[in-house]
Amino acid sequence: MGTAGHHLLALETSSSVCGVALLSSDGQAFRLRSLSHDATGEHAERLLPMVDELLEQAGLRRADLDAIAFGQGPGGFTGLRVACGVAQGMAFALGLPVIPVVSLHAAALRDDGDEPIRAVVQDARMSEVYAAVYGKAADHPSGWHTLHEPVLLDVSDVLPWVRRQARHWARGNTPAVKLLGDALEAYPQMLGEVAVADASRAFDDGVILRRGGPLRACAETVAQLAWHAFQRGHTVPPHQAAPLYVRDKVAYTTAEREQGRGGNPKARPALAIRGMTEADIDEAAAIESAVQSFPWTSGNFRDALQAGYGAWVACEGGRIQGFALTMFAPDVAHLLLIAVRPDAQRSGVGHGLLRHCEGQALARGLPALILEVRPSNAQALAFYRNRGFSQIGMRKDYYPKDRNAREDALVMEKKLGAGHV
């Protein structure tokens, strides 16, 4: 009973809205159908019935589908898992590819303004936002490409972050940025004087900021982005589909609570990052020894400081929780070391240090940050990939292993400046 042509199903549950869309093409014309329901906590019960209802409206069966897309986030953890799980389950059963779509990109497509740069800020709770930036690109199928991958920011950091990076995003043009997303509604104080929809402000540094609407991703724009990816063959098998998480951790586990660690780890004392000094070397070396099989020595740290490498420590309550060292070359920043003491891991310290290193590289006008990581270090690989790094090469026999053995190093890179797709 199916109809000829291509049919793509899209699921979007990164916010309180549960949405499904069906994009059909006969090669000449497109038809986009959708259903949505705004009810937090009902995604798991609503999603599949809405899929079946939409297919019935179109006169299609599940077997007529060619691919399944889902909004992978960032967003509400429960909603993201629902959309990803349903997409994987249907794709496994039907033998179809899956197309993960960044939900913030889907939100950016909903605005109809003419500003060349759109920064999407979505409420991440706990006075934080998920943020990503998109720029007009005539050569990109969707018309908008990624200028900055999704990151997690404190509400108070949003305005300084936009002003600091706007010139990089603008590529020498007037740095005019439009902010949109539901965080504008959740945190009206975020942009200071730019407090009214469509209000704009020109700053002394030449940055022009305009306030957009509290838009969220929807299944229709997820379907549109997924269609472009499908046309180019940018799909993944079901087992590789995964939500996009940019927050290290939201709550302590039951076991951690039994050990006396209660509440929300994000509510711990404020993390302060400062330059590493000679007095910090022994404590930094102790952290390095606690987490590495072949650690740097105190002498190595001392040499790095004397060589002028960027070196910082992250402190909470006067105690050093972690450190990072970066070498700044003329054309790229090289993250040499980053380590967090074992009892402070997965609490945001590593993310904070990494963000600091990225900011230092951007302040020096460097377009990318590179690093090496062991292929066997699955936790580190996941950490870097979730923060926008991708593999660009391999160094053979780079790391010492055991006895006379050596281990390769994966070389990973994150683009920091404008033009990153």
Side-chain angles (χ1 to χ4, degrees):
M1 261 209 14
T3 61
H6 291 294
H7 307 286
L8 185 149
L9 180 70
L11 317 174
E12 166 52 37
T13 58
S14 66
S15 68
S16 63
V17 178
C18 178
V20 298
L22 179 67
L23 192 154
S24 301
S25 170
D26 60 7
Q28 296 181 337
F30 292 88
R31 174 73 184 272
L32 185 60
R33 302 175 175 87
S34 65
L35 292 172
S36 65
H37 178 77
D38 192 345
T40 302
E42 297 182 8
H43 296 340
E45 295 78 13
R46 295 267 184 178
L47 195 58
L48 275 172
M50 289 170 64
V51 167
D52 291 335
E53 180 181 350
L54 194 60
L55 289 173
E56 184 178 357
Q57 290 179 8
L60 298 174
R61 304 164 300 171
R62 294 186 183 183
D64 295 319
L65 297 172
D66 294 281
I68 300 177
F70 72 101
Q72 67 172 156
F77 289 174
T78 301
L80 298 184
R81 289 195 293 267
V82 169
C84 181
V86 170
Q88 284 180 309
M90 291 184 65
F92 269 124
L94 299 170
L96 299 178
V98 176
I99 307 170
V101 172
V102 177
S103 298
L104 300 185
H105 198 167
L109 262 62
R110 295 194 62 194
D111 188 83
D112 57 3
D114 58 1
E115 291 80 6
I117 301 172
R118 295 176 182 174
V120 182
V121 284
Q122 181 174 324
D123 183 13
R125 310 295 183 184
M126 299 183 290
S127 295
E128 293 177 326
V129 303
Y130 301 118
V133 185
Y134 303 92
K136 275 189 177 179
D139 58 345
H140 194 276
S142 72
W144 293 87
H145 66 184
T146 305
L147 296 178
H148 203 296
E149 298 283 359
V151 294
L152 183 70
L153 299 174
D154 291 331
V155 169
S156 61
D157 288 340
V158 173
L159 185 56
W161 178 72
V162 170
R163 292 185 60 187
R164 186 171 62 245
Q165 301 211 44
R167 292 191 178 280
H168 293 283
W169 301 331
R171 303 186 199 181
N173 298 316
T174 301
V177 181
K178 186 172 189 177
L179 272 89
L180 54 96
D182 64 5
L184 298 174
E185 191 171 60
Y187 306 106
Q189 77 281 11
M190 183 168 55
L191 302 184
E193 297 177 19
V194 193
V196 181
D198 290 326
S200 61
R201 178 182 176 187
F203 293 89
D204 293 341
D205 55 9
V207 175
I208 300 172
L209 189 63
R210 187 175 182 186
R211 187 187 185 104
L215 301 175
R216 300 171 177 173
C218 65
E220 293 94 326
T221 49
V222 170
Q224 291 166 14
L225 287 169
W227 177 256
H228 298 310
F230 178 69
Q231 292 291 93
R232 291 174 288 163
H234 294 177
T235 64
V236 298
H239 70 276
Q240 290 184 8
L244 175 60
Y245 298 133
V246 297
R247 171 176 274 142
D248 287 315
K249 191 166 185 179
V250 176
Y252 288 117
T253 64
T254 301
E256 288 168 333
R257 289 196 180 98
E258 289 173 352
Q259 295 169 6
R261 301 179 72 182
N264 189 323
K266 291 294 180 181
R268 296 166 64 176
L271 185 70
I273 297 178
R274 59 170 175 80
M276 184 186 293
T277 67
E278 286 274 347
D280 301 320
I281 286 178
D282 289 343
E283 192 165 358
I287 295 173
E288 170 79 347
S289 296
V291 300
Q292 296 290 350
S293 301
F294 299 88
W296 277 30
T297 65
S298 294
N300 295 140
F301 281 95
R302 194 164 287 107
D303 291 343
L305 288 184
Q306 292 174 355
Y309 292 169
W312 303 276
V313 292
C315 303
E316 284 181 347
R319 184 189 187 198
I320 294 177
Q321 304 293 331
F323 66 85
L325 278 86
T326 302
M327 179 177 68
F328 298 108
D331 58 346
V332 72
H334 189 165
L335 181 64
L336 301 175
L337 288 180
I338 185 168
V340 177
R341 66 171 65 252
D343 60 357
Q345 291 179 1
R346 300 190 64 81
S347 64
V349 176
H351 188 195
L353 282 164
L354 183 59
R355 286 170 56 194
H356 184 81
C357 293
E358 292 172 2
Q360 291 292 317
L362 280 169
R364 290 165 171 81
L366 298 176
L369 182 65
I370 64 169
L371 56 88
E372 290 87 16
V373 62
R374 294 176 184 266
S376 60
N377 194 341
Q379 181 177 339
L381 281 171
F383 174 83
Y384 293 126
R385 284 171 176 157
N386 284 341
R387 283 151 188 83
F389 284 82
S390 58
Q391 183 182 344
I392 60 169
M394 179 180 292
R395 303 194 199 282
K396 297 294 291 183
D397 298 330
Y398 185 80
Y399 289 112
K401 201 171 182 182
D402 21 13
R403 295 192 177 180
N404 296 321
R406 306 286 296 183
E407 183 176 3
D408 297 339
L410 301 182
V411 183
M412 305 188 78
E413 179 187 58
K414 180 175 181 177
K415 298 288 189 183
L416 303 176
H420 173 38
V421 180

